[in-house]
């Protein structure tokens, strides 16, 4: 089992930096990081909040035009430095003679990943609790009102929610403390096909729900009058969130990647798989939402209300629900480890303390902030930060400020600051494709990110 991770004297990196072995390990780990709550929970609900197809189309364009090139750039940055995101950026700054102030750019992915993890763990905790509810038969024969009641009941019970959050954070910390990410990545090899199969089964159900055509139209017939700068900014943030970009997750994984693995192929495969899964989930959820008269804009509870409802009315529905929410929890876990790893790796480089100790401290702090996020659904719902509750504020700051900024850092550092021959060496592809990649990260990505961010924050209007 431990065979899969060795310390290597990798070019440009510390001699004790681990490298994952096994042909598929990086592909699996990166897919595990990308596919998570973003695809299953967030994509359907923010699509519903933003009116459907036009939002979906913008998200697809962002994934293809910005996401794929950035994924390659981020993997390349990580593999060539074989260090944590902060050190990667700092090394390039020193090499280039850039001012110390630019080291701040290296902090963006570090802070961003941890701030996402605070609320990510709370939602992942919901999926753990839903496994339990399904086992208890709470959803058998349930109707729309009942399903809504279960969900609002959960939001109201701080203690239960904190329990789910605590268990999930403990699982994440356990894996990271043992440095067992590569081992976990292996299980993605069979869990991802299982998740896809489950989505296909549920798709089969939603096709016969009576409202499939309406669901498809909702997702794929755009009405651009509904598009606002805020929606475009949310689509951009989500494209990055869903692909795990700009937060150092893909960068640290890149730093564990073997030299002979092909970054362009791996990066593109991960990005496309991730997008297909999100669209598949949309196709599962919206027909059910329409068939049962739920609101597409129901918010964060959308899948927690619609899936149990659909499954609960099938023979063996409880089993389906258990399997589905277990897969959600696992997908979330394979993402949350990639959110904790960048910070643990960064501290490990700087402090002479054991990995478990560092992990417990970082995870403990994140867990505490997560509790505040959980309480913002109930006891602390009066507390507002710039008009938003704690959960929404964390989601907004990380999704629409830190993620695009992190994307910008990856684009600028891989496209402009990193030594050109070093990145060329990482991205094994034809000269023509490399030129396209370069144009994408040097010009298109920074320009679009800046425009979209300024529009989303209301600083410019278009
Ligand atoms: N991509 C993950 C998801 O879609 O659930 C979330 C995520 C993981 C975001 C790692 C950012 C990250 F660095």
């Amino acid at each position: 089992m431990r065979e899969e991770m060795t310390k290597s004297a990798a070019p440009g990196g510390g001699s004790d930096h681990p490298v994952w072995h096994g042909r598929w390990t990086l592909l699996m780990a990166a897919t595990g990081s990308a596919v998570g709550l973003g695809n299953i929970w967030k994509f359907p609900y923010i699509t519903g909040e933003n009116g459907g197809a036009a939002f979906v189309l913008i998200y697809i364009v962002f994934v293809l035009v910005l996401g794929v090139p950035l994924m390659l750039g981020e993997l390349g940055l990580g593999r060539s430095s074989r260090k944590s995101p902060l050190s990667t950026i700092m090394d390039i700054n020193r090499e280039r003679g850039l001012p110390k102030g630019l080291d701040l750019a290296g902090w963006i992915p570090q802070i961003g990943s941890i701030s996402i993890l605070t609320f990510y763990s709370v939602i992942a905790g919901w999926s753990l609790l839903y496994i339990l509810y399904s086992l208890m038969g709470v959803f058998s024969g349930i109707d729309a009102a009942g399903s809504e009641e279960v969900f609002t009941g959960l939001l109201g019970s701080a203690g239960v929610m904190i329990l789910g959050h605590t268990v999930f954070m403990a699982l994440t910390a356990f894996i990271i403390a043992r440095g067992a990410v590569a081992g976990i990545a292996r299980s993605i090899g069979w869990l991802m096909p299982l998740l896809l199969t489950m989505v296909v089964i549920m798709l089969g159900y939603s096709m016969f729900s009576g409202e499939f055509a309406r669901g498809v139209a909702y997702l794929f017939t755009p009405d651009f009058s509904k598009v606002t700068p805020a929606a475009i900014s949310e689509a951009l943030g989500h494209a990055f969130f869903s692909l795990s970009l700009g937060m150092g997750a893909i960068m640290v994984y890149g730093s564990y990647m073997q030299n002979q693995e092909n970054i362009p192929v791996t990066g593109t495969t991960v990005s496309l798989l991730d997008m297909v899964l999100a669209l598949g989930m949309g196709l599962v959820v919206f027909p059910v939402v329409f068939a049962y008269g739920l609101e597409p804009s129901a918010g964060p509870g959308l899948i927690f209300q619609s899936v149990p409802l659909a499954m609960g009315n099938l023979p063996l529905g409880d089993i389906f629900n258990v399997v589905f929410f277990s897969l959600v929890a696992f997908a979330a876990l394979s993402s949350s480890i990639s959110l904790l790893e960048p910070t643990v790796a960064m501290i490990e480089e700087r402090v002479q303390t054991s990995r478990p100790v560092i992990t417990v401290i970082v995870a403990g702090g994140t867990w505490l902030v997560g509790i505040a996020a959980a309480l913002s659904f109930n006891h602390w719902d009066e507390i507002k930060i710039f008009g938003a509750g704690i959960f929404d504020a964390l989601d907004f700051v990380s999704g629409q400020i830190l993620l695009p900024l992190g994307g910008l850092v990856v684009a600028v550092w891989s496209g402009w600051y990193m030594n050109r021959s070093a990145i060329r060496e990482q991205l094994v592809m034809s000269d023509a494709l490399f030129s396209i990649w370069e144009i994408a990260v040097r010009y298109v990505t920074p320009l679009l990110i800046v425009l979209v961010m300024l529009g989303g924050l209301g600083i410019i209007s278009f």
Side-chain angles (χ1 to χ4, degrees):
M1 177 77 160
R2 295 289 75 215
E3 279 296 292
E4 64 218 3
M5 188 148 141
T6 57
K7 309 279 185 184
S8 99
S15 62
D16 60 348
H17 192 86
V19 171
W20 294 338
H21 292 285
R23 209 162 142 221
W24 302 109
T25 309
L26 189 275
L27 180 70
M28 295 306 166
T31 308
S33 169
V35 174
L37 295 173
N39 313 63
I40 305 167
W41 159 77
K42 198 167 183 190
F43 175 75
Y45 103 73
I46 57 175
T47 297
E49 284 184 341
N50 287 291
F55 178 83
V56 174
L57 200 71
I58 298 169
Y59 156 79
I60 294 176
V61 169
F62 282 148
V63 168
L64 298 178
V65 176
L66 309 187
V68 174
L70 279 184
M71 176 76 75
L72 309 192
E74 189 163 339
L75 285 169
L77 275 168
R79 189 168 69 181
S80 84
S81 87
R82 300 221 177 272
K83 289 188 183 171
S84 71
L86 177 64
S87 303
T88 303
I89 300 293
M90 283 172 61
D91 283 1
I92 295 177
N93 291 353
R94 291 304 79 77
E95 199 183 299
R96 277 270 155 158
L98 297 173
K100 276 242 178 251
L102 278 182
D103 292 359
L104 272 181
W107 284 100
I108 294 171
Q110 303 284 171
I111 297 170
S113 47
I114 284 297
S115 57
I116 293 178
L117 185 56
T118 57
F119 66 88
Y120 201 86
S121 167
V122 174
I123 311 296
W126 294 356
S127 59
L128 289 180
L129 294 165
Y130 265 57
I131 301 175
L132 208 67
Y133 293 171
S134 311
L135 285 171
M136 287 156 55
V138 168
F139 302 118
S140 24
I142 203 163
D143 59 7
S147 170
E148 202 176 324
E149 208 173 294
V150 174
F151 183 70
T152 12
L154 170 62
L155 290 191
S157 335
V160 177
M161 218 195 283
I162 290 171
L163 177 73
H165 163 56
T166 307
V167 172
F168 185 80
M169 192 62 99
L171 286 171
T172 306
F174 180 71
I175 297 166
I176 291 296
R178 297 188 52 207
V181 177
I184 292 298
R186 290 253 169 118
S187 40
I188 308 277
W190 58 273
L191 280 157
M192 213 40 74
L194 198 62
L195 182 63
L196 274 171
T197 314
M198 192 67 199
V199 172
V200 171
I201 292 177
M202 296 198 305
L203 209 60
Y205 174 84
S206 78
M207 277 182 184
F208 295 102
S209 68
E211 293 291 357
F212 192 66
R214 205 169 145 202
V216 173
Y218 185 78
L219 278 177
F220 296 111
T221 317
D223 170 1
F224 285 100
S225 66
K226 289 193 181 136
V227 177
T228 60
I232 298 178
S233 159
E234 190 155 7
L236 178 76
H238 186 67
F240 291 171
F241 181 91
S242 188
L243 295 175
S244 301
L245 292 173
M247 297 289 95
I250 294 296
M251 215 188 292
V252 267
Y253 279 10
S255 79
Y256 301 139
M257 186 176 185
Q258 280 179 292
N259 284 331
Q260 62 269 32
E261 276 184 76
N262 184 307
I263 289 184
V265 172
T266 308
T268 311
T269 311
V270 172
S271 310
L272 297 182
L273 254 175
D274 185 71
M275 188 175 80
V276 166
L277 228 124
L279 295 175
M281 265 320 284
L283 281 176
V284 166
V285 169
F286 288 106
V288 174
V289 164
F290 293 127
Y292 285 92
L294 299 173
E295 269 305 315
S297 58
L302 193 63
I303 67 145
F304 290 95
Q305 288 172 44
S306 56
V307 172
L309 188 56
M311 298 294 132
N313 287 294
L314 281 182
L316 302 180
D318 288 334
I319 297 175
F320 276 120
N321 273 327
V322 171
V323 175
F324 175 73
F325 285 106
S326 307
L327 289 169
V328 175
F330 190 86
L333 190 62
S334 64
S335 300
S336 66
I337 52 180
S338 74
L339 286 164
L340 186 54
E341 177 68 24
T343 303
V344 171
M346 185 269 284
I347 299 179
E348 213 179 8
E349 283 169 351
R350 287 167 174 73
V351 182
Q352 289 295 345
T353 313
S354 75
R355 187 176 173 91
V357 172
I358 299 172
T359 308
V360 168
I361 295 171
V362 178
T366 315
W367 171 77
L368 272 180
V369 182
I371 289 186
L375 289 173
S376 72
F377 288 104
N378 37 70
H379 300 309
W380 288 4
D381 58 356
E382 303 280 291
I383 301 179
K384 302 281 177 217
I385 304 166
F386 294 115
I390 300 171
F391 179 91
D392 291 337
L394 283 166
D395 184 21
F396 179 84
V397 171
S398 49
Q400 276 164 77
I401 298 178
L402 295 171
L403 274 161
L405 281 181
L408 194 62
V409 169
V410 172
V412 173
W413 265 260
S414 67
W416 291 99
Y417 292 148
M418 187 174 168
N419 181 315
R420 191 163 184 272
S421 60
I423 188 73
R424 182 72 188 95
E425 200 180 301
Q426 292 300 327
L427 305 186
V428 180
M429 53 180 157
S430 68
D431 287 340
L433 281 178
F434 184 73
S435 302
I436 297 177
W437 174 83
E438 233 177 7
I439 294 170
V441 291
R442 284 189 158 199
Y443 307 102
V444 183
T445 308
L447 193 74
L448 271 176
I449 292 179
V450 171
L451 283 180
V452 170
M453 275 190 82
L454 294 177
L457 297 172
I459 298 169
I460 57 166
S461 61
F462 41 83

